[in-house]
Amino acid sequence: MPKSQVRKKKVYTPPTDVRPTSTAATRKPSPVWLPVTAVSLIVFGIGWLVVFYLSEMEYPVATWRYWNLAIGFGAMVGSLGLLSRWR
């Protein structure tokens, strides 16, 4: 059986001026409040929407009518924004 050839070319290493300055190992972990706040916003948003639908648009705030949907979904979108920064 023929012997496989030895690799003649060196493994590529990018130049030092192109490498990123901060690696994932040097970044600080997220503060404790970030995931707690994000989960709280998700629960708040879902709760707001559930109360809005089950009360037939009377609660949480009847005068806001469909803006209640914006409050609930806005809280959930805000939590996604926070979770995108979580390390």
Side-chain angles (χ1 to χ4, degrees), residues 16-28 87:
T16 57
D17 59 338
V18 180
R19 290 183 190 165
T21 56
S22 65
T23 61
T26 60
R27 291 184 184 173
K28 293 180 182 177
R87 286 188 213 120

Side-chain angles (χ1 to χ4, degrees), residues 37-51:
T37 306
V39 170
S40 302
L41 280 173
I42 289 173
V43 170
F44 172 77
I46 291 172
W48 189 282
L49 292 175
V50 167
V51 168

Side-chain angles (χ1 to χ4, degrees), residues 52 57-66 68:
F52 176 69
M57 295 186 271
E58 291 296 321
Y59 297 105
V61 182
T63 57
W64 291 354
R65 307 232 350 123
Y66 289 106
N68 285 304

Side-chain angles (χ1 to χ4, degrees), residues 61-84:
V61 182
T63 57
W64 291 354
R65 307 232 350 123
Y66 289 106
W67 283 104
N68 285 304
L69 294 174
I71 302 285
F73 284 116
M76 291 190 290
V77 168
S79 70
L80 289 175
L82 282 176
L83 287 174
S84 69

